[in-house]
Amino acid sequence: MSWQQYVQAAQGIGFTKVTIINRQNYQTLAYTSQADIATAWKDGDKQVNENQELLDDWKDVKKNSFCFYGKKYNVVLRDDEDGSFLVCMKGQECCIAKQFKTIWFIAYGPTKKKEAKKEDGATGFGSAADAFTKISKDIFDALDEAGV
C-alpha cells in the first residue's frame, strides 16, 4: 500500500484528518489535505512547533498535552514503556499519534456524545480508546509487522 492509501484507510474507519511524516527529514509523505501538515502556531503567548511535539518524549508523564492540527489536546492514554503512541482528547475530538521506526502517523476524528445513537445519524468514535483500538487493528498492527 502507498502512504496515501493508508491515509484513505484511516478515513475509511472514521478519521477526518490524517498525516504521515518521515522521521528522518520531517517530510510530509501523505495527508488528507494541504492544511493537515505540521505547522507552527501560538497557544496564547506560547509558540507551538508541531514538529517539536513529534520529537518530545511521549512516555514522559509530565507531558499532559499534545498539539497538532492547530489544537492542544489532553493526553488520555500513552505508551509508558516505549513512548510509541499518544491518545488524546479535546472536547468531542480525538487525536492519535503513533511513532514507528521511520514515520509518525497522526490521525484525528470526532467522538460521539455519550447520548448520541447511531440510528439518529451520529457519527464518530465511541471514545478515544475506541478510535485507538480501530486504527491499531486496521492499520498500525500491519505497519508494525512490516517493520516500518
Side-chain angles (χ1 to χ4, degrees):
M1 269 185 18
S2 72
W3 294 124
Q4 199 58 45
Q5 287 170 312
Y6 281 107
V7 167
Q8 291 163 347
Q11 286 178 289
I13 56 175
F15 290 95
T16 55
K17 297 179 184 182
V18 183
T19 309
I20 301 173
I21 299 171
N22 183 325
R23 285 186 61 187
Q24 192 172 2
N25 60 12
Y26 300 95
Q27 177 188 0
T28 302
L29 301 171
Y31 48 77
T32 38
S33 85
Q34 293 264 312
D36 302 334
I37 60 170
T39 60
W41 50 280
K42 275 198 178 291
D43 178 29
D45 290 339
K46 184 180 176 243
Q47 182 69 34
V48 175
N49 176 342
E50 293 177 350
N51 283 327
Q52 184 60 52
E53 293 288 309
L54 297 172
L55 268 179
D56 286 349
D57 182 3
W58 293 357
K59 64 183 176 291
D60 181 358
V61 292
K62 289 188 210 97
K63 181 176 175 58
N64 57 8
S65 66
F66 176 75
C67 299
F68 212 83
Y69 299 126
K71 294 185 180 181
K72 182 177 181 178
Y73 306 90
N74 295 318
V75 175
V76 294
L77 184 67
R78 74 176 75 235
D79 176 359
D80 291 328
E81 284 182 27
D82 301 321
S84 70
F85 68 81
L86 291 173
V87 179
C88 312
M89 287 287 299
K90 178 185 175 109
Q92 296 300 123
E93 305 168 308
C94 70
C95 183
I96 295 168
K98 173 93 166 124
Q99 185 167 262
F100 294 91
K101 288 181 199 139
T102 60
I103 63 163
W104 285 292
F105 196 116
I106 306 96
Y108 161 97
T111 57
K112 291 183 244 183
K113 289 192 168 83
K114 292 203 185 330
E115 63 278 356
K117 298 202 174 15
K118 201 167 192 121
E119 4 356 305
D120 296 336
T123 58
F125 299 103
S127 66
D130 174 46
F132 182 64
T133 300
K134 283 189 171 128
I135 198 167
S136 293
K137 184 174 67 76
D138 291 6
I139 298 171
F140 292 168
D141 291 353
L143 288 170
D144 272 331
E145 285 171 25
V148 167

